[in-house]
Amino acid sequence: MIRLSGIARTFLVGGEEVHALRAVDLGIAHGEYLSIMGPSGSGKSTLLNIIGLLDRPDTGTYELDAKNVTALSDDELARVRREKIGFVFQFFHLVPRLTAAQNIELPMVLAGIDPAARRPRLARLLAEYGLEERAGHRPDQLSGGQCQRVAIARAMSMGPTVILADEPTGNLDRHTGQEVLGVLERVHHNGGTVVVVTHDPEIGARSQRRLRMLDGAVVADEKG
Amino acid sequence: MRLADLFDFAWQVLRSSISRTLLILLAMGIGVAAVVVVTSLGEGARLYVANQFGSLGTNLIIVLPGRSETSGGMPGVLIGKTPRNLTLEDALALKRSHAIRRFAPLIIGAGDVRAGALSRETPVLGSTAELMDIRHMEMAQGSFLPPGDPRHSQPVCVIGAKVANELFGSRPALGEWVRIGDRRFRVIGILAAQGQSLGFNTDEIVIVPLAAAQALFNTESLFRILVEAKSREQIAAAKADVEEIVRLRHEGERDVTVITQDAVLATFDRILRALTLTVASIAAISLAVAGILIMNVMLIAVTQRRREIGLLKALGATGHQIQLAFFTEALLLALGGAVAGLAVGELGRSFAVQMYPAIPFQAPWWALAAAPATALLTAVLFTVAPARRAARLDPVQALSRR
Ligand SMILES: Nc1ncnc2c1ncn2[C@@H]1O[C@H](COP(=O)(O)OP(=O)(O)OP(=O)(O)O)[C@@H](O)[C@H]1O
Ligand SMILES: [Mg+2]
């Protein structure tokens, strides 16, 4: 489903080249639950951003759902992102002035979906992520765990091909982190594809496939 | 993104930063209101002048002695001839023209008017019966100068309302005698109070027959001849006739000036329109200032909402959609400002009407259209740069905490 070959990404920092990714080859199958671990600066976020089409590789090709997306225009990328990618961030990134329900609805609004069609989907998402009572609350009235649940519901709202979570528990206490992880695992059990970047070995250990990165390269890829 | 959602999204932004929104609305509103008020004043002045000219008479042509044009050819002056006077004979010759309905020769002087022990210095007009119709004068009591040969006169006069009041008070003036200089005149009519009309107050004048005025001021030459053309279309023909008739009588010299009321009015009209337009443009500058305020606020918004913009992109918003969101926000602000400005402008206009009921203050339609249009246009123009900056934002950088 996702096929990366020879993906490299180099940043220029103060005249010096930083190789965030060096020739990464990676395939992710439909329904996989994959964790990426590695020291800080090893290129985890960069890899996730490229998979999520937020960033472009300097070299290499990327096939998403058997379609080469390496050379798409910015607008085409935005549309693919809208349909197929769901992001979950460490710092939630909810729009502060919008309610939980409006935040969850946002991708559908951007996609131009009719309000009549949005309503049942929104109701289903609110119920699925236990947010019915919080629907009208703004992010500053929600706990961290609730914020991240809103973010996951938002990521799921367009029925994406893959959920990409960059340290989704990094900003939460242990207990809430476990709870959010449970939510992501449920997405996986329902047939979703999930990629989680994490520093927590325990979280990594719970995933079905574990990737280790070091200095811009994938150095280990364990399954089971 | 659907249009309703776009507006909803912008609306949420505006509502969440109320003071910022109100500030821009204020700036936009002031700009639009300024244009509306200023053009109302200008247009009011223009209409006022037009009305004043209208009250002077219809299809009016004014003949005055001397050539007011400075254009080269004035051989008469060069070889030492003095310009000819305009005489009653010149005026009477105008009867030949078929384009002229009527005319009134005019002499003006100042006279000491006495009734009993009271006396008053007033302008004294010498003219004929036709003056009343040409100048649209109305009588309060009695009748105007009697028709007849202007070369001979009866000792009668018509006095303005204020003169009557000052000389006779509450006593009836009609039929009384007044003395002007060393001559006596019987008051046969009192003019209805008309008030000021273009610097000339008919309430404060005394009108005597032309021949009497000639004797009184010891002059043969006319101050003006007022001519009324038969219709609006005949004004040009009447003017040509006047010029030709007088030229023939003056041995071929073009030594009179003929002004049509139309031309004077058109000149005033042009001047006042230009003035209104100029002042309106100056007022419109405040709209540009409001536009710059919008740009500034939007640029700040792009910085403040970096993460939100990054997020929208991550959620699949195209650069185009981000730009649209900013434009919608600016448009809503301009629209609100325009509506508020039009309302405040209307308020200011009705206030001006209350203060000066005589002047028909009213914003011309072009200003009512141009002011909001300029507001919308500046808002959109000044949002181009911030919106493009937002659309170009790199989502990865915008979302990272760095
Ligand atoms: N926009 C950028 N400009 C310059 N250098 C960058 C940029 N993004 C990433 N880098 C560099 O690329 C390398 C990989 O960064 P990346 O964010 O992918 O690491 P990471 O594994 O996610 O680290 P962390 O665990 O701290 O989040 C680092 O050296 C980083 O400094
Ligand atoms: Mg990272």
Side-chain angles (χ1 to χ4, degrees):
Chain A
M1 184 192 75
I2 289 173
R3 167 121 257 115
L4 303 176
S5 22
I7 295 288
R9 181 74 169 100
T10 307
F11 293 104
L12 258 172
V13 182
E16 256 185 65
E17 290 193 345
V18 176
H19 297 278
L21 293 176
R22 318 168 185 256
V24 171
D25 297 312
L26 178 66
I28 302 172
H30 188 77
E32 265 193 309
Y33 184 51
L34 181 141
S35 69
I36 304 176
M37 295 186 64
S40 187
S42 57
K44 308 181 294 292
S45 296
T46 307
L47 180 61
L48 211 65
N49 288 335
I50 284 178
I51 296 175
L53 300 169
L54 276 184
D55 199 3
R56 289 167 183 275
D58 298 320
T59 56
T61 52
Y62 174 11
E63 274 177 45
L64 177 61
D65 286 339
K67 188 172 174 251
N68 189 343
V69 292
T70 327
L72 294 184
S73 73
D74 281 353
D75 278 4
E76 286 168 327
L77 283 182
R79 265 182 279 279
V80 175
R81 203 154 55 219
R82 178 192 295 165
E83 304 292 332
K84 303 196 168 177
I85 311 286
F87 276 105
V88 177
F89 305 93
Q90 179 178 357
F91 298 103
F92 321 136
H93 288 317
L94 301 180
V95 180
R97 64 176 173 277
L98 300 182
T99 63
Q102 287 170 325
N103 267 290
I104 295 172
E105 212 181 7
L106 201 50
M108 297 192 276
V109 169
L110 288 172
I113 295 173
D114 206 74
R118 292 198 310 243
R119 226 166 288 128
R121 278 164 76 169
L122 178 64
R124 194 173 44 78
L125 287 163
L126 284 170
E128 204 173 323
Y129 295 93
L131 290 163
E132 282 151 312
E133 258 122 71
R134 303 282 165 209
H137 291 203
R138 279 174 226 291
D140 57 3
Q141 300 163 322
L142 298 174
S143 72
Q146 287 165 339
C147 280
Q148 202 58 306
R149 287 217 301 272
V150 170
I152 295 172
R154 180 179 65 191
M156 291 300 291
S157 67
M158 290 293 289
T161 310
V162 60
I163 291 281
L164 304 172
D166 196 345
E167 300 185 37
T169 61
N171 210 29
L172 300 172
D173 63 50
R174 189 156 183 79
H175 174 74
T176 322
Q178 293 289 332
E179 181 197 312
V180 164
L181 212 63
V183 174
L184 283 175
E185 281 167 358
R186 214 174 63 229
V187 170
H188 161 61
H189 284 306
N190 293 339
T193 313
V194 180
V195 180
V196 186
V197 167
T198 181
H199 276 122
D200 188 340
E202 196 185 318
I203 295 172
R206 277 166 69 167
S207 64
Q208 172 203 56
R209 181 181 170 192
R210 292 168 299 279
L211 233 59
R212 242 201 111 63
M213 292 193 69
L214 193 64
D215 200 15
V218 177
V219 292
D221 186 349
E222 309 166 355
K223 289 187 189 178
Chain B
M1 215 168 164
R2 303 169 72 257
L3 200 65
D5 289 328
L6 201 59
F7 276 105
D8 206 45
F9 190 81
W11 176 245
Q12 302 268 11
V13 175
L14 298 181
R15 236 184 35 178
S16 69
S17 41
I18 254 307
S19 54
R20 183 193 81 139
T21 303
L22 287 181
L23 187 74
I24 299 185
L25 284 184
L26 186 71
M28 273 283 164
I30 287 175
V32 171
V35 171
V36 170
V37 168
V38 157
T39 53
S40 293
L41 298 185
E43 186 74 356
R46 193 180 70 82
L47 291 175
Y48 179 72
V49 168
N51 289 346
Q52 292 282 302
F53 265 97
S55 74
L56 271 187
T58 356
N59 308 328
L60 198 62
I61 298 169
I62 302 164
V63 188
L64 39 150
R67 195 96 185 117
S68 69
E69 266 169 53
T70 49
S71 59
M74 256 193 79
V77 171
L78 284 179
I79 56 172
K81 273 192 208 164
T82 47
R84 256 167 225 279
N85 289 332
L86 202 55
T87 63
L88 178 58
E89 300 308 319
D90 291 334
L92 291 174
L94 297 181
K95 276 183 183 158
R96 294 215 305 271
S97 167
H98 296 293
I100 291 174
R101 185 190 303 275
R102 50 186 155 229
F103 59 87
L106 210 62
I107 287 178
I108 288 187
D112 198 29
V113 185
R114 302 172 162 275
L118 292 171
S119 112
R120 192 180 189 288
E121 169 104 359
T122 67
V124 176
L125 252 67
S127 192
T128 59
E130 280 76 20
L131 180 69
M132 175 162 156
D133 288 327
I134 292 179
R135 280 291 319 267
H136 297 319
M137 286 172 166
E138 274 171 39
M139 304 303 298
Q141 291 172 46
S143 54
F144 200 70
L145 300 178
D149 187 346
R151 277 170 281 233
H152 307 288
S153 72
Q154 295 166 262
V156 294
C157 71
V158 174
I159 61 179
K162 195 169 167 200
V163 178
N165 189 39
E166 283 180 1
L167 290 181
F168 299 99
S170 53
R171 284 186 295 128
L174 219 56
E176 295 295 322
W177 288 86
V178 295
R179 185 172 270 283
I180 305 174
D182 54 359
R183 287 166 161 262
R184 279 171 22 106
F185 297 88
R186 185 195 287 279
V187 177
I188 58 164
I190 297 165
L191 293 171
Q194 254 186 333
Q196 197 85 9
S197 117
L198 275 183
F200 197 69
N201 195 338
T202 50
D203 296 351
E204 294 182 22
I205 57 171
V206 173
I207 304 173
V208 299
L210 187 78
Q214 282 178 329
L216 210 54
F217 302 122
N218 189 26
T219 177
E220 286 293 307
S221 68
L222 300 179
F223 173 66
R224 298 272 187 276
I225 306 172
L226 300 184
V227 179
E228 184 183 324
K230 278 195 174 139
S231 68
R232 206 182 157 75
E233 292 71 39
Q234 301 260 46
I235 291 177
K239 184 183 180 203
D241 283 355
V242 170
E243 281 173 342
E244 183 61 14
I245 290 168
V246 177
R247 190 178 67 83
L248 286 177
R249 288 187 44 81
H250 288 196
E251 294 161 356
E253 294 295 341
R254 294 179 165 278
D255 56 5
V256 293
T257 302
V258 182
I259 310 172
T260 62
Q261 181 191 16
D262 263 23
V264 178
L265 184 56
T267 305
F268 264 96
D269 212 64
R270 259 203 316 282
I271 293 171
L272 285 171
R273 262 183 209 281
L275 207 67
T276 305
L277 208 62
T278 311
V279 190
S281 318
I282 293 171
I285 290 175
S286 61
L287 280 176
V289 174
I292 293 172
L293 183 70
I294 285 193
M295 175 155 81
N296 193 31
V297 161
M298 289 294 177
L299 283 175
I300 293 171
V302 173
T303 316
Q304 277 179 343
R305 277 152 54 195
R306 262 170 70 87
R307 290 221 257 153
E308 178 189 325
I309 295 162
L311 169 77
L312 290 177
K313 287 193 147 186
L315 296 182
T318 59
H320 183 66
Q321 281 181 317
I322 306 253
Q323 291 204 26
L324 263 183
F326 273 85
F327 280 125
T328 309
E329 205 178 314
L331 264 177
L332 280 185
L333 283 171
L335 221 59
V339 169
L342 287 179
V344 171
E346 172 58 25
L347 224 65
R349 188 196 70 84
S350 45
F351 180 70
V353 168
Q354 295 250 308
M355 299 284 290
Y356 303 96
I359 304 179
F361 294 112
Q362 96 188 44
W365 66 267
W366 56 263
L368 289 178
T374 314
L376 293 185
L377 197 73
T378 46
V380 169
L381 274 180
F382 281 104
T383 307
V384 168
R388 288 177 63 165
R389 180 182 287 197
R392 276 204 297 262
L393 215 62
D394 174 18
V396 175
Q397 298 227 10
L399 286 169
S400 76
R401 278 224 122 183
R402 264 185 283 251

